[in-house]
PDB file of all heavy atoms in Angstrom:
ATOM      1  N   ASP B 133      -8.494  13.672  -8.521  1.00 93.00           N
ATOM      2  CA  ASP B 133      -9.757  14.187  -7.994  1.00 93.00           C
ATOM      3  C   ASP B 133      -9.591  15.545  -7.328  1.00 93.00           C
ATOM      4  O   ASP B 133     -10.414  16.425  -7.520  1.00 93.00           O
ATOM      5  CB  ASP B 133     -10.337  13.192  -6.985  1.00 93.00           C
ATOM      6  CG  ASP B 133     -10.729  11.902  -7.639  1.00 93.00           C
ATOM      7  OD1 ASP B 133     -11.771  11.890  -8.291  1.00 93.00           O
ATOM      8  OD2 ASP B 133      -9.978  10.921  -7.530  1.00 93.00           O
ATOM      9  N   VAL B 134      -8.554  15.690  -6.504  1.00 94.00           N
ATOM     10  CA  VAL B 134      -8.359  16.968  -5.823  1.00 94.00           C
ATOM     11  C   VAL B 134      -6.913  17.413  -6.002  1.00 94.00           C
ATOM     12  O   VAL B 134      -5.985  16.613  -5.818  1.00 94.00           O
ATOM     13  CB  VAL B 134      -8.663  16.848  -4.307  1.00 94.00           C
ATOM     14  CG1 VAL B 134      -8.604  18.221  -3.664  1.00 94.00           C
ATOM     15  CG2 VAL B 134     -10.010  16.221  -4.060  1.00 94.00           C
ATOM     16  N   TYR B 135      -6.724  18.672  -6.388  1.00 94.00           N
ATOM     17  CA  TYR B 135      -5.394  19.252  -6.480  1.00 94.00           C
ATOM     18  C   TYR B 135      -5.183  20.165  -5.282  1.00 94.00           C
ATOM     19  O   TYR B 135      -6.087  20.924  -4.923  1.00 94.00           O
ATOM     20  CB  TYR B 135      -5.253  20.106  -7.737  1.00 94.00           C
ATOM     21  CG  TYR B 135      -5.382  19.354  -9.046  1.00 94.00           C
ATOM     22  CD1 TYR B 135      -6.626  19.137  -9.614  1.00 94.00           C
ATOM     23  CD2 TYR B 135      -4.259  18.896  -9.713  1.00 94.00           C
ATOM     24  CE1 TYR B 135      -6.751  18.462 -10.813  1.00 94.00           C
ATOM     25  CE2 TYR B 135      -4.377  18.229 -10.917  1.00 94.00           C
ATOM     26  CZ  TYR B 135      -5.618  18.017 -11.462  1.00 94.00           C
ATOM     27  OH  TYR B 135      -5.739  17.358 -12.650  1.00 94.00           O
ATOM     28  N   ILE B 136      -4.021  20.096  -4.650  1.00 94.00           N
ATOM     29  CA  ILE B 136      -3.700  21.057  -3.597  1.00 94.00           C
ATOM     30  C   ILE B 136      -2.481  21.851  -4.029  1.00 94.00           C
ATOM     31  O   ILE B 136      -1.395  21.290  -4.163  1.00 94.00           O
ATOM     32  CB  ILE B 136      -3.338  20.400  -2.259  1.00 94.00           C
ATOM     33  CG1 ILE B 136      -4.045  19.071  -2.078  1.00 94.00           C
ATOM     34  CG2 ILE B 136      -3.629  21.328  -1.113  1.00 94.00           C
ATOM     35  CD1 ILE B 136      -3.528  18.330  -0.881  1.00 94.00           C
ATOM     36  N   PRO B 137      -2.637  23.151  -4.252  1.00 93.00           N
ATOM     37  CA  PRO B 137      -1.456  23.951  -4.564  1.00 93.00           C
ATOM     38  C   PRO B 137      -0.636  24.200  -3.306  1.00 93.00           C
ATOM     39  O   PRO B 137      -1.102  24.009  -2.188  1.00 93.00           O
ATOM     40  CB  PRO B 137      -2.050  25.250  -5.107  1.00 93.00           C
ATOM     41  CG  PRO B 137      -3.381  25.343  -4.464  1.00 93.00           C
ATOM     42  CD  PRO B 137      -3.856  23.937  -4.242  1.00 93.00           C
ATOM     43  N   GLY B 138       0.592  24.636  -3.491  1.00 92.00           N
ATOM     44  CA  GLY B 138       1.453  24.935  -2.357  1.00 92.00           C
ATOM     45  C   GLY B 138       2.777  24.232  -2.509  1.00 92.00           C
ATOM     46  O   GLY B 138       2.875  23.238  -3.214  1.00 92.00           O
ATOM     47  N   CYS B 139       3.792  24.757  -1.844  1.00 91.00           N
ATOM     48  CA  CYS B 139       5.115  24.139  -1.953  1.00 91.00           C
ATOM     49  C   CYS B 139       5.842  24.246  -0.636  1.00 91.00           C
ATOM     50  O   CYS B 139       6.620  25.138  -0.454  1.00 91.00           O
ATOM     51  CB  CYS B 139       5.910  24.791  -3.069  1.00 91.00           C
ATOM     52  SG  CYS B 139       7.566  24.116  -3.246  1.00 91.00           S
ATOM     53  N   PRO B 140       5.633  23.366   0.308  1.00 91.00           N
ATOM     54  CA  PRO B 140       4.606  22.337   0.312  1.00 91.00           C
ATOM     55  C   PRO B 140       3.287  22.895   0.838  1.00 91.00           C
ATOM     56  O   PRO B 140       3.284  23.906   1.524  1.00 91.00           O
ATOM     57  CB  PRO B 140       5.153  21.321   1.312  1.00 91.00           C
ATOM     58  CG  PRO B 140       5.914  22.155   2.281  1.00 91.00           C
ATOM     59  CD  PRO B 140       6.476  23.300   1.506  1.00 91.00           C
ATOM     60  N   PRO B 141       2.174  22.239   0.553  1.00 93.00           N
ATOM     61  CA  PRO B 141       0.913  22.636   1.167  1.00 93.00           C
ATOM     62  C   PRO B 141       0.970  22.343   2.656  1.00 93.00           C
ATOM     63  O   PRO B 141       1.569  21.347   3.067  1.00 93.00           O
ATOM     64  CB  PRO B 141      -0.136  21.752   0.491  1.00 93.00           C
ATOM     65  CG  PRO B 141       0.550  21.092  -0.630  1.00 93.00           C
ATOM     66  CD  PRO B 141       2.003  21.082  -0.332  1.00 93.00           C
ATOM     67  N   ARG B 142       0.376  23.179   3.452  1.00 93.00           N
ATOM     68  CA  ARG B 142       0.367  22.913   4.890  1.00 93.00           C
ATOM     69  C   ARG B 142      -0.539  21.716   5.180  1.00 93.00           C
ATOM     70  O   ARG B 142      -1.405  21.388   4.378  1.00 93.00           O
ATOM     71  CB  ARG B 142      -0.147  24.146   5.635  1.00 93.00           C
ATOM     72  CG  ARG B 142       0.897  25.245   5.713  1.00 93.00           C
ATOM     73  CD  ARG B 142       0.480  26.279   6.729  1.00 93.00           C
ATOM     74  NE  ARG B 142       0.176  25.664   8.020  1.00 93.00           N
ATOM     75  CZ  ARG B 142       1.096  25.429   8.953  1.00 93.00           C
ATOM     76  NH1 ARG B 142       2.333  25.756   8.738  1.00 93.00           N
ATOM     77  NH2 ARG B 142       0.743  24.873  10.086  1.00 93.00           N
ATOM     78  N   PRO B 143      -0.353  21.088   6.341  1.00 94.00           N
ATOM     79  CA  PRO B 143      -1.237  19.981   6.690  1.00 94.00           C
ATOM     80  C   PRO B 143      -2.709  20.364   6.652  1.00 94.00           C
ATOM     81  O   PRO B 143      -3.550  19.549   6.256  1.00 94.00           O
ATOM     82  CB  PRO B 143      -0.793  19.618   8.098  1.00 94.00           C
ATOM     83  CG  PRO B 143       0.632  19.986   8.147  1.00 94.00           C
ATOM     84  CD  PRO B 143       0.775  21.197   7.290  1.00 94.00           C
ATOM     85  N   GLU B 144      -3.017  21.597   7.026  1.00 94.00           N
ATOM     86  CA  GLU B 144      -4.408  22.031   6.946  1.00 94.00           C
ATOM     87  C   GLU B 144      -4.929  21.944   5.519  1.00 94.00           C
ATOM     88  O   GLU B 144      -6.087  21.605   5.295  1.00 94.00           O
ATOM     89  CB  GLU B 144      -4.570  23.476   7.429  1.00 94.00           C
ATOM     90  CG  GLU B 144      -4.393  23.670   8.909  1.00 94.00           C
ATOM     91  CD  GLU B 144      -2.982  24.097   9.246  1.00 94.00           C
ATOM     92  OE1 GLU B 144      -2.061  23.702   8.517  1.00 94.00           O
ATOM     93  OE2 GLU B 144      -2.821  24.815  10.232  1.00 94.00           O
ATOM     94  N   ALA B 145      -4.048  22.243   4.569  1.00 94.00           N
ATOM     95  CA  ALA B 145      -4.474  22.186   3.174  1.00 94.00           C
ATOM     96  C   ALA B 145      -4.767  20.750   2.769  1.00 94.00           C
ATOM     97  O   ALA B 145      -5.724  20.485   2.037  1.00 94.00           O
ATOM     98  CB  ALA B 145      -3.387  22.778   2.271  1.00 94.00           C
ATOM     99  N   LEU B 146      -3.959  19.829   3.268  1.00 94.00           N
ATOM    100  CA  LEU B 146      -4.222  18.422   2.951  1.00 94.00           C
ATOM    101  C   LEU B 146      -5.538  17.989   3.591  1.00 94.00           C
ATOM    102  O   LEU B 146      -6.335  17.265   2.983  1.00 94.00           O
ATOM    103  CB  LEU B 146      -3.074  17.548   3.440  1.00 94.00           C
ATOM    104  CG  LEU B 146      -3.215  16.060   3.120  1.00 94.00           C
ATOM    105  CD1 LEU B 146      -3.432  15.839   1.644  1.00 94.00           C
ATOM    106  CD2 LEU B 146      -2.023  15.272   3.590  1.00 94.00           C
ATOM    107  N   LEU B 147      -5.772  18.459   4.818  1.00 94.00           N
ATOM    108  CA  LEU B 147      -7.043  18.124   5.466  1.00 94.00           C
ATOM    109  C   LEU B 147      -8.205  18.706   4.668  1.00 94.00           C
ATOM    110  O   LEU B 147      -9.252  18.075   4.516  1.00 94.00           O
ATOM    111  CB  LEU B 147      -7.076  18.666   6.897  1.00 94.00           C
ATOM    112  CG  LEU B 147      -6.183  17.925   7.884  1.00 94.00           C
ATOM    113  CD1 LEU B 147      -6.262  18.565   9.250  1.00 94.00           C
ATOM    114  CD2 LEU B 147      -6.581  16.468   7.974  1.00 94.00           C
TER     115      LEU B 147
END
Side-chain angles (χ1 to χ4, degrees):
Chain B
D133 294 284
V134 186
Y135 296 86
I136 330 171
C139 179
R142 284 194 53 87
E144 289 96 329
L146 182 55
L147 288 178

